[in-house]
């Protein structure tokens, strides 16, 4: 197609105008910041590097004190954990009206899966495999948070995680670096806008319904040994760059404004003092231009890591290139002396201060420090109808039907259903951990949703969430759901059996309390609590069909459940509209479409377990003793990455390749037909994997390279087409160079990583 010359010229001139004006605005920003910095004392510059918390969310050993006084002295660059426009305005007024240089504050917050309106926990959201939906939820959270006066969110959390004992798996997108990277990009777009709107925002400042994002926890936090939070990480660079680094890099490529370093060490050096990570990788290799903050007291914690005393760890962090010290205040305490004694170059402080000021400039805070604070907009945005609708959509799409024998689901509304379990009437747990400013009292419980849906329902609590007193004591005391029922465990059980006997089907809603996942919430065993499992076993003895609805923040071990229960629906903690979404799925008003993004192990002994593993020299073979395997458990997980059922079924045809050779500059088309072979409309996530059969280093047995969601009516068939280029097949070799290697590849397509069709092609590099 030929475009008229005039159109081309107009387009070129528009691009040039944007580039020139972006350059001009950058020059303007530079000049403004240089002038401002010329007036700043060293202490004031260190003040910009000081990030303090005011609020109840204390997630470490130190509580920020005397913050007001420090703000007034110009010794604070940003504050987090403060909510409401009134409180934020008050602090901003202090910074702007009472300090010498009137530099406004950044206002950060842990907006992790929604702000006031809560969406499913991130692990659940990732099971939707719906990037547009994920972007929309981040965008809604940005609109809600910014209307409150916040301008910076500590999200996305993109740590690849393969150990479900680690409580923070609930905050991330599971075990796969490709999916994790796509989700990282979608979330940055949602919070900050896409790349082109970010460019525009550099000139016109960040839009009022957007915020600055902060990708975390850089890097490798998800690989904490034994799934124990804050534990040591030790990893080869090949694994690091192929499997753990891609999501952080994806966020950087999407323009993320800031990065948070992690608590763990990398190559023996804590991330927060790691010059190689911060300077060589982030700033030089990845060309990251934003600012870098630490995690909560991570600088101080380097004393426990054993790399120095207070002054030394401050020196190490500043010299590594960290710009802001979260809560620990060691930059402020030692910065002046460190510069005067020559241990920290003045230029290092100037560069850090400049990067923080650049973020404030980008936000437009120097023009109007109150621009995000608007009571009217706050009222309008907070839990608005569209966000509640989105919350329900996200909840439905995140749920995963793990098992469904004999069409036990969907439920027949004409039949009597007994709802049993401590989560049936629960609201508190529905929001999950990191539920930011969400109010659990506004969440819809399953029972509330049921009451508007069906008359044919019975209820029994059945058991407490747990009867383990030591555990109850250790868990968040504000979780009232954990206080034990007045009735004895036996009385609760008897009641449940009586109710189950009156029903046609039993739905047991069980799981973990929300405080069992999230930060510092790891488990060494990840099954249902003993008392809940006992209830389930007693219900099974009634002989009624049983549906298990799970609420939890991590993959669980479900060996008995999977062998004995008819249907299992994983609902995670799915947010404000959990109840409505669960009830819609249970009664078939919505068809489940979620697919797992983390393998569910058979038992904890299999952990770490992930689909994209290496073949080893002695791959699994049941009949041969000297193979890589267990004597008491299979190698395969109970439910694989990508697994998830629907109320309908899908039939896959055979893979068709456009060629069996792929060369540089070419595209290989991989297509397959998918037919809805059941009786209701459904959505299938078609997954594409590859395997590099021979490489200079060993390669995973499968790697996700693409996916598409396809909606199909009964008997409808669609052809799903993927395009592969050599770039998609690149990997980091042992010199940590991103390369293509010629050779044979397998390509797989299917509805789960363990149920695929396959074909072969050759990559030629000549
Ligand atoms: C500690 C957590 O690791 C991090 O994710 C969070 O953003 C900060 N605390 C601030 O609350």
């Amino acid at each position: 197609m030929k475009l008229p010359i005039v159109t081309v010229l107009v387009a070129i001139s528009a691009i040039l105008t944007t580039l020139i004006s972006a350059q001009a605005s950058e020059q303007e920003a530079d000049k403004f910041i240089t002038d401002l910095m010329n007036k700043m004392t060293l202490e004031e510059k260190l003040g910009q590097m000081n990030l303090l918390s005011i609020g109840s969310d204390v997630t470490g050993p130190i509580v920020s004190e005397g913050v007001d006084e420090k703000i007034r002295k110009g010794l604070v660059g940003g504050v987090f954990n403060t909510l409401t426009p009134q409180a934020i305005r008050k602090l901003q007024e202090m910074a702007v009206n009472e300090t010498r240089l009137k530099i406004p504050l950044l206002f950060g917050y842990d907006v992790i899966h929604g702000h006031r309106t809560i969406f499913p926990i991130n692990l659940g959201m990732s099971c939707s495999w719906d990037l547009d939906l994920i972007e929309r939820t981040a965008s809604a959270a940005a609109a809600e948070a910014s209307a409150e006066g916040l301008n910076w969110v500590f999200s996305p959390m993109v740590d690849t995680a393969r150990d479900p004992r680690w409580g923070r798996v609930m905050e991330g997108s599971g075990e796969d670096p490709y999916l994790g990277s796509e989700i990282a990009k979608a979330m940055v777009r949602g919070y900050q806008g896409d790349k082109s709107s970010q460019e525009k925002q550099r000139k016109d400042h960040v839009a009022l319904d957007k915020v600055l994002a902060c990708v975390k926890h850089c890097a490798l936090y998800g690989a904490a040994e034994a799934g124990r939070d804050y534990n040591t990480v030790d990893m080869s660079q090949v694994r690091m760059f192929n499997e753990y680094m891609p999501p952080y890099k994806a966020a950087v490529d999407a323009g993320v404004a800031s990065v948070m370093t992690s608590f763990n060490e990398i190559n023996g050096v804590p991330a927060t003092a790691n010059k190689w990570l911060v300077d060589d990788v982030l700033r030089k290799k990845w060309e990251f231009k934003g600012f870098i903050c630490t995690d909560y007291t991570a600088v101080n914690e380097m004393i426990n890591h054993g790399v120095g005393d207070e002054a030394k760890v401050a020196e190490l962090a500043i010299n590594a290139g960290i710009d802001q010290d979260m809560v620990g205040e060691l930059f402020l305490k030692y910065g002046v002396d460190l510069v005067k004694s020559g241990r920290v170059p003045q230029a290092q402080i100037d560069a850090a201060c400049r990067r923080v000021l650049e973020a404030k400039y980008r936000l437009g805070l120097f023009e109007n420090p109150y621009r995000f604070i608007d009571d009217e907009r706050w009222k309008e945005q907070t839990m608005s109808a569209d966000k509640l609708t989105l919350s329900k959509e996200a909840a439905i799409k995140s749920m995963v039907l793990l098992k469904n024998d004999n069409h036990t689901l969907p439920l027949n509304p004409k039949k009597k259903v007994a709802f049993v379990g401590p989560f049936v009437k629960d609201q508190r747990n529905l929001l999950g951990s990191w539920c930011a400013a969400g109010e659990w009292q506004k969440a819809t419980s399953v029972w509330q949703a049921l009451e508007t849906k069906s008359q044919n329902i019975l209820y029994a609590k059945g058991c407490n969430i747990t009867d383990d007193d030591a555990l109850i004591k250790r868990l968040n005391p504000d979780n009232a759901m954990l206080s034990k029922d007045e009735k004895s465990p036996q009385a609760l059980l008897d009641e449940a059996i009586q109710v189950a006997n009156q029903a046609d089907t039993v739905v047991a809603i069980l799981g973990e309390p929300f405080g069992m996942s999230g930060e510092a919430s790891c488990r060494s065993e990840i099954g249902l609590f003993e008392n809940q499992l006992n209830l389930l076993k007693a219900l099974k003895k009634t002989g009624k069909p049983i549906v298990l609805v799970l609420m939890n923040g991590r993959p669980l071990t479900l060996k008995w459940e999977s062998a004995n229960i008819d249907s299992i629906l994983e609902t995670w903690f799915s947010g404000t509209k959990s109840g409505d979404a669960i009830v819609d799925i249970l009664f078939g008003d919505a068809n489940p479409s979620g697919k797992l993004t983390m393998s569910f192990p058979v038992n904890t002994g299999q952990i770490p377990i992930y689909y994209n593993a290496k073949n080893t020299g002695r791959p699994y073979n049941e009949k041969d003793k000297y193979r890589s395997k267990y004597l008491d458990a299979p190698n395969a997980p109970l439910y694989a990455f990508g697994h998830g059922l629907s109320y309908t079924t899908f039939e896959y045809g055979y893979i068709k390749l456009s060629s069996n050779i792929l060369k540089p500059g070419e595209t290989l088309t991989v297509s397959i037909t998918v037919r809805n072979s059941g009786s209701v409309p459904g959505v299938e996530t078609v997954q594409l994997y590859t395997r590099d059969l021979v490489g200079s280093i060993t390669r995973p047995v499968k790697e996700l390279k693409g996916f598409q969601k396809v909606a199909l009516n009964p008997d409808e068939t669609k052809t799903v087409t993927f395009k592969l280029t050599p770039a998609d097949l690149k990997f980091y070799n042992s010199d940590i160079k991103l390369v293509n290697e010629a050779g044979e590849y397998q390509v797989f397509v299917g509805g789960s990583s363990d149920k695929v069709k396959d074909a072969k092609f050759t990559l030629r590099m000549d």
Side-chain angles (χ1 to χ4, degrees):
M1 184 183 63
K2 271 197 176 165
L3 289 174
I5 186 82
V6 185
T7 317
V8 174
L9 286 177
V10 170
I12 292 175
S13 100
I15 293 169
L16 283 177
T17 316
T18 315
L19 283 177
I20 291 166
S21 70
Q23 234 175 28
S25 62
E26 236 157 77
Q27 280 166 3
E28 249 171 59
D30 266 1
K31 183 173 177 323
F32 178 88
I33 292 167
T34 305
D35 289 349
L36 177 59
M37 283 182 59
N38 283 338
K39 294 182 209 141
M40 291 174 84
T41 63
L42 175 56
E43 238 197 346
E44 282 166 337
K45 288 177 184 170
L46 289 162
Q48 291 305 308
M49 298 166 71
N50 198 25
L51 171 62
L52 298 182
S53 161
I54 308 183
S56 54
D57 307 281
V58 177
T59 57
I62 297 177
V63 180
S64 302
E65 276 167 3
V67 185
D68 289 8
E69 208 36 48
K70 285 173 192 152
I71 293 176
R72 289 193 175 98
K73 288 187 181 151
L75 300 180
V76 181
V79 167
F80 68 107
N81 282 338
T82 297
L83 288 173
T84 77
Q86 296 77 5
I88 290 174
R89 179 179 286 275
K90 202 169 134 222
L91 295 178
Q92 197 66 303
E93 278 171 356
M94 252 177 228
V96 173
N97 300 336
E98 300 185 45
T99 62
R100 204 175 70 87
L101 294 172
K102 308 184 182 319
I103 303 176
L105 295 166
L106 289 173
F107 289 97
Y109 201 70
D110 283 294
V111 173
I112 308 296
H113 50 105
H115 180 54
R116 295 276 176 187
T117 310
I118 302 299
F119 303 111
I121 59 167
N122 307 77
L123 183 60
M125 282 297 311
S126 69
C127 292
S128 71
W129 297 58
D130 189 331
L131 301 175
D132 170 64
L133 171 73
I134 292 171
E135 181 176 334
R136 284 187 285 131
T137 60
S139 179
E144 229 174 23
S146 68
E148 183 140 2
L150 298 167
N151 46 40
W152 183 27
V153 296
F154 300 141
S155 178
M157 186 281 209
V158 304
D159 304 323
T160 305
R162 293 159 169 189
D163 191 328
R165 291 171 296 184
W166 191 49
R168 304 198 76 167
V169 301
M170 53 94 18
E171 289 172 63
S173 299
E175 70 195 36
D176 186 66
Y178 172 81
L179 181 62
S181 300
E182 293 302 304
I183 291 179
K185 288 189 266 180
M187 290 184 77
V188 173
R189 284 197 301 270
Y191 291 134
Q192 298 189 169
D194 62 18
K195 265 296 193 52
S196 67
S197 74
Q198 284 181 37
E199 263 327 306
K200 198 168 164 300
Q201 287 172 20
R202 282 197 180 276
K203 189 161 68 72
D204 303 337
H205 303 309
V206 167
L208 281 181
D209 57 353
K210 294 290 171 204
V211 287
L212 301 184
C214 179
V215 65
K216 66 189 190 186
H217 307 82
C218 195
L220 324 182
Y221 186 26
E225 279 178 6
R228 207 179 69 225
D229 212 356
Y230 318 121
N231 203 4
T232 307
V233 171
D234 196 357
M235 187 184 289
S236 73
Q237 285 209 13
V238 161
R239 167 163 278 185
M240 202 185 283
F241 281 95
N242 284 313
E243 301 165 30
Y244 283 77
M245 289 298 207
Y248 309 110
K249 177 162 191 307
V252 168
D253 291 345
V256 74
S258 64
V259 173
M260 186 187 293
T261 55
S262 53
F263 289 119
N264 55 279
E265 64 181 68
I266 296 168
N267 283 333
V269 180
T272 299
N274 203 312
K275 199 168 163 49
W276 170 79
L277 172 76
V278 172
D279 212 40
D280 294 0
V281 177
L282 270 163
R283 293 226 167 88
K284 297 203 177 91
K285 221 176 154 113
W286 296 355
E287 300 179 347
F288 173 62
K289 298 278 185 286
F291 68 107
I292 300 176
C293 68
T294 72
D295 202 341
Y296 202 105
T297 58
V299 180
N300 315 55
E301 288 166 33
M302 292 198 288
I303 301 168
N304 288 341
H305 276 283
V307 294
D309 59 10
E310 282 194 350
K312 182 68 187 174
V313 293
E315 174 194 331
L316 288 172
I318 300 174
N319 283 341
I322 301 287
D323 304 318
Q324 269 196 335
D325 172 4
M326 188 191 285
V327 178
E329 301 204 74
L330 294 185
F331 291 2
L332 197 62
K333 191 165 167 191
Y334 294 97
V336 172
D337 284 350
L338 288 170
V339 172
K340 285 195 176 141
S341 63
R343 285 164 68 182
V344 166
Q346 171 76 45
Q348 197 78 38
I349 305 289
D350 286 345
C353 173
R354 175 175 285 277
R355 285 188 284 258
V356 174
L357 295 176
E358 275 169 1
K360 295 182 178 184
Y361 190 93
R362 178 171 169 184
L363 284 163
L365 296 179
F366 290 110
E367 266 181 23
N368 177 4
Y370 310 104
R371 62 190 288 264
F372 291 95
I373 311 170
D374 177 343
D375 285 336
E376 273 313 299
R377 202 161 62 87
W378 190 45
K379 268 189 228 137
E380 230 173 75
Q381 288 289 339
T382 304
M383 299 190 83
S384 56
D386 55 330
K387 292 190 189 66
L388 294 175
T389 307
L390 182 61
S391 170
K392 181 172 168 190
E393 178 190 348
I396 288 173
K397 291 181 173 168
S398 68
M399 293 177 187
V400 185
L401 184 62
L402 296 175
K403 181 182 177 192
N404 194 21
D405 280 359
N406 313 316
H407 298 285
T408 311
L409 285 178
L411 299 169
N412 181 344
K414 295 198 186 105
K415 298 241 171 108
K416 202 158 236 49
V417 186
F419 284 83
V420 177
F423 290 86
V424 175
K425 293 193 173 177
D426 176 40
Q427 288 172 285
R428 177 60 194 98
N429 288 295
L430 301 177
L431 304 190
S433 267
W434 289 116
C435 54
E439 292 169 65
W440 60 263
Q441 294 89 341
K442 294 190 177 156
T444 327
S445 72
V446 174
W447 192 251
Q448 284 164 340
L450 277 170
E451 281 177 328
T452 58
K453 191 91 165 192
S454 168
Q455 306 291 319
N456 246 343
I457 49 174
L458 301 169
Y459 167 73
K461 184 170 171 187
C463 66
N464 296 307
I465 288 185
T466 176
D467 290 330
D468 180 344
D469 292 322
L471 182 65
I472 294 172
K473 221 165 143 196
R474 251 177 270 133
L475 280 166
N476 198 343
D478 81 5
N479 191 346
M481 277 306 291
L482 286 181
S483 46
K484 289 197 197 161
D485 202 276
E486 287 162 7
K487 292 181 192 152
S488 71
Q490 191 57 49
L492 289 173
L493 187 74
D494 292 345
E495 205 173 79
I497 301 307
Q498 204 191 14
V499 162
N501 279 325
Q502 293 167 42
D504 299 301
T505 306
V506 178
V507 176
I509 310 191
L510 301 173
E512 300 176 305
F514 79 96
M516 291 296 278
S517 57
E519 187 176 355
S521 303
C522 304
R523 296 181 65 183
S524 63
E525 293 291 349
I526 55 167
L528 284 180
F529 298 140
E530 204 184 340
N531 65 329
Q532 294 192 30
L533 195 54
N534 286 343
L535 168 67
L536 213 49
K537 288 180 176 170
L539 291 170
K540 168 80 182 167
K541 285 195 189 133
T542 63
K544 307 281 176 171
I546 300 181
V547 176
L548 172 60
V549 173
L550 289 167
M551 294 187 183
N552 47 282
R554 57 159 60 73
L556 299 175
T557 49
L558 300 168
K559 196 172 163 194
W560 184 89
E561 296 84 332
S562 143
N564 292 283
I565 299 298
D566 303 279
S567 295
I568 307 178
L569 178 69
E570 175 57 78
T571 72
W572 312 108
F573 296 117
S574 44
T576 310
K577 300 301 277 179
S578 292
D580 301 285
I582 291 170
V583 168
D584 271 13
I585 288 194
L586 290 179
F587 285 93
D589 296 323
N591 190 351
S593 60
K595 300 271 191 182
L596 295 180
T597 57
M598 238 187 132
S599 312
F600 273 46
V602 170
N603 58 23
T604 38
Q606 283 188 321
I607 299 170
I609 184 163
Y610 44 95
Y611 84 94
N612 39 0
K614 302 290 183 74
N615 201 35
T616 81
R618 295 188 178 194
Y620 181 82
N621 179 334
E622 206 187 5
K623 294 187 195 110
D624 192 349
K625 178 169 164 60
Y626 294 100
R627 291 292 184 137
S628 178
K629 65 169 191 258
Y630 303 103
L631 294 175
D632 58 352
N635 278 20
L638 189 63
Y639 297 114
F641 176 87
H643 169 76
L645 305 175
S646 160
Y647 292 153
T648 189
T649 44
F650 300 101
E651 258 175 36
Y652 283 74
Y654 291 97
I655 295 179
K656 274 198 197 128
L657 300 181
S658 56
S659 163
N660 48 15
I661 291 173
L662 175 63
K663 289 192 205 159
E666 289 181 357
T667 300
L668 180 74
T669 304
V670 182
S671 48
I672 197 161
T673 55
V674 185
R675 186 174 90 90
N676 180 343
S677 48
S679 53
V680 288
V683 173
E684 171 74 329
T685 301
V686 183
Q687 303 152 39
L688 174 97
Y689 301 87
T690 59
R691 177 175 181 185
D692 181 359
L693 287 163
V694 179
S696 61
I697 59 168
T698 60
R699 309 297 328 284
V701 292
K702 263 185 205 129
E703 291 178 280
L704 184 72
K705 295 289 179 188
F707 56 89
Q708 281 179 43
K709 296 192 72 134
V710 49
L712 292 165
N713 285 319
D715 212 28
E716 191 184 4
T717 301
K718 279 187 186 159
T719 301
V720 178
T721 303
F722 296 93
K723 291 190 184 313
L724 272 180
T725 67
D728 299 318
L729 304 172
K730 282 188 172 172
F731 64 96
Y732 287 91
N733 67 11
S734 54
D735 297 325
I736 314 304
K737 293 229 159 63
L738 189 62
V739 294
N740 268 129
E741 284 182 3
E744 245 196 321
Y745 277 78
Q746 251 177 313
V747 57
F748 313 87
V749 183
S752 167
S753 66
D754 62 349
K755 286 186 190 63
V756 286
K757 297 283 172 75
D758 72 311
K760 269 190 189 164
F761 69 93
T762 303
L763 176 67
R764 288 219 332 235
M765 295 307 292
D766 49 66

